[in-house]
Amino acid sequence: MDLQLPDYTRILIEKIPYVELRFVLLQRAQEFYSNYAKKVGFVTRTRNTNFDKIRKKSRIPINQSIHCNREGYQESQVKAASRVKKITTARCRSRMYVMFDRQKDNWMVSKLELKHTHPCSAKQAVYYHEYRELNMHAKCVILDNDEVGIWTNKTYVALANEVSGSSNLGYSEKDVRNYTTRNMRLDVDAANKFRSALWVDAKCKASYEYYGDVVSFDTTYSRNKHGLPFASFVGVNHHGKSTLIECALLGNEEICSFE
């Protein structure tokens, strides 16, 4: 089986693990190896943790192994009659063992394998669910841009340009879009009272691009079962027929709701 070392050209030497590397806490060792894995382009998994046999009740760990998640071999759970082929991993042997040194009261890397049986790419790390996370700067930019009506894809491009490419971001365009949907379109206020809800889909956006020269806006007062004003934005297509561009439910008819 071919083993290959990852590309270390973009990793500082002090960020690469080595035997006898020490940590104050087990958590620090886990974080160090996880950060290393992210820079290399693979995902870690804690495989084995052994505990102190003398003090069983206290559950004090004394050693642990952290592996590449593409280790081993796994069969499909689908019944044999309907199974087309088995699901296999890369049987990767890359891993780091750490043990507690009682004399020095810290954790030490006791065994290490850095080679993988599969290609690793730091550029692909953004697609791993474990590493996708919006930082505070990104959240602020998304919030500011959304308030002035800048589309999500343009926000994502701007964030990517700041770090010289999307491969250097710790998240994808879908994460930006999900954050916008989840956090910017809330329809309740701080008192958990309904505020407003705006609805628009891809078809509506396309209709606005084509038929947005003249748009009519109208509200119907308390015509739904919730007793809320309903607002619609309507354009006219090339057949002379009305086409819905977007609609909303308003908590009230105050100026802030219409804004």
Side-chain angles (χ1 to χ4, degrees):
M1 185 177 293
D2 246 359
L3 298 180
Q4 50 188 306
L5 278 171
D7 180 12
Y8 291 138
T9 55
R10 300 177 62 185
I11 306 176
L12 297 175
I13 188 67
E14 60 267 23
K15 300 296 183 181
I16 301 174
Y18 58 88
V19 175
E20 295 190 359
L21 177 62
R22 294 178 180 271
F23 304 91
V24 177
L25 301 171
L26 175 59
Q27 183 182 355
R28 296 290 181 269
Q30 296 168 341
E31 291 172 353
F32 182 90
Y33 195 58
S34 179
N35 289 333
Y36 162 77
K38 183 177 181 180
K39 289 181 174 65
V40 169
F42 69 97
V43 178
T44 64
R45 178 174 67 176
T46 300
R47 191 73 174 86
N48 297 304
T49 303
N50 294 320
F51 298 89
D52 192 334
K53 293 181 180 179
I54 299 176
R55 293 175 285 181
K56 291 182 179 179
K57 292 183 179 179
S58 60
R59 298 285 290 175
I60 299 176
I62 56 174
N63 59 62
Q64 187 176 90
S65 62
I66 311 172
H67 297 225
C68 171
N69 73 335
R70 296 188 65 183
E71 64 156 349
Y73 175 84
Q74 181 181 2
E75 290 191 6
S76 171
Q77 300 299 313
V78 181
K79 293 182 180 180
S82 59
R83 186 172 64 222
V84 177
K85 61 180 179 180
K86 294 180 179 179
I87 300 173
T88 62
T89 59
R91 302 193 183 191
C92 188
R93 299 174 184 175
S94 181
R95 63 200 64 184
M96 182 178 80
Y97 293 89
V98 290
M99 60 176 292
F100 182 68
D101 187 337
R102 288 189 174 89
Q103 292 183 344
K104 296 187 177 181
D105 193 31
N106 59 23
W107 288 82
M108 181 188 74
V109 177
S110 59
K111 187 178 178 182
L112 184 67
E113 176 57 72
L114 296 178
K115 294 180 180 179
H116 294 262
T117 60
H118 57 91
C120 295
S121 172
K123 293 182 179 180
Q124 298 299 316
V126 67
Y127 299 109
Y128 295 134
H129 175 74
E130 291 83 355
Y131 296 143
R132 285 162 52 180
E133 182 180 5
L134 292 170
N135 55 34
M136 187 57 66
H137 169 68
K139 291 179 180 179
C140 291
V141 171
I142 296 169
L143 173 61
D144 293 341
N145 286 3
D146 186 73
E147 286 182 349
V148 297
I150 297 176
W151 285 24
T152 304
N153 61 329
K154 292 184 178 179
T155 297
Y156 179 75
V157 170
L159 289 167
N161 289 338
E162 287 182 2
V163 293
S164 303
S166 58
S167 61
N168 296 317
L169 290 173
Y171 46 86
S172 65
E173 183 177 346
K174 183 178 179 181
D175 296 318
V176 175
R177 195 175 304 279
N178 288 343
Y179 181 78
T180 303
T181 304
R182 185 172 62 251
N183 295 281
M184 308 308 172
R185 304 301 186 194
L186 295 176
D187 56 4
V188 295
D189 58 19
N192 214 30
K193 182 180 178 182
F194 183 85
R195 184 175 59 188
S196 62
L198 182 70
W199 181 87
V200 58
D201 61 11
K203 184 179 180 181
C204 291
K205 289 180 179 179
S207 295
Y208 178 73
E209 292 290 332
Y210 287 109
Y211 317 119
D213 293 336
V214 178
V215 177
S216 68
F217 172 77
D218 194 17
T219 58
T220 57
Y221 183 73
S222 302
R223 296 298 298 272
N224 54 75
K225 65 179 181 180
H226 301 291
L228 300 171
F230 173 80
S232 63
F233 296 81
V234 178
V236 178
N237 64 21
H238 55 287
H239 295 296
K241 295 183 178 180
S242 298
T243 179
L244 182 65
I245 291 176
E246 101 187 306
C247 58
L249 284 175
L250 306 178
N252 54 55
E253 291 188 290
E254 296 178 1
I255 294 175
C256 59
S257 291
F258 283 98
E259 287 180 343

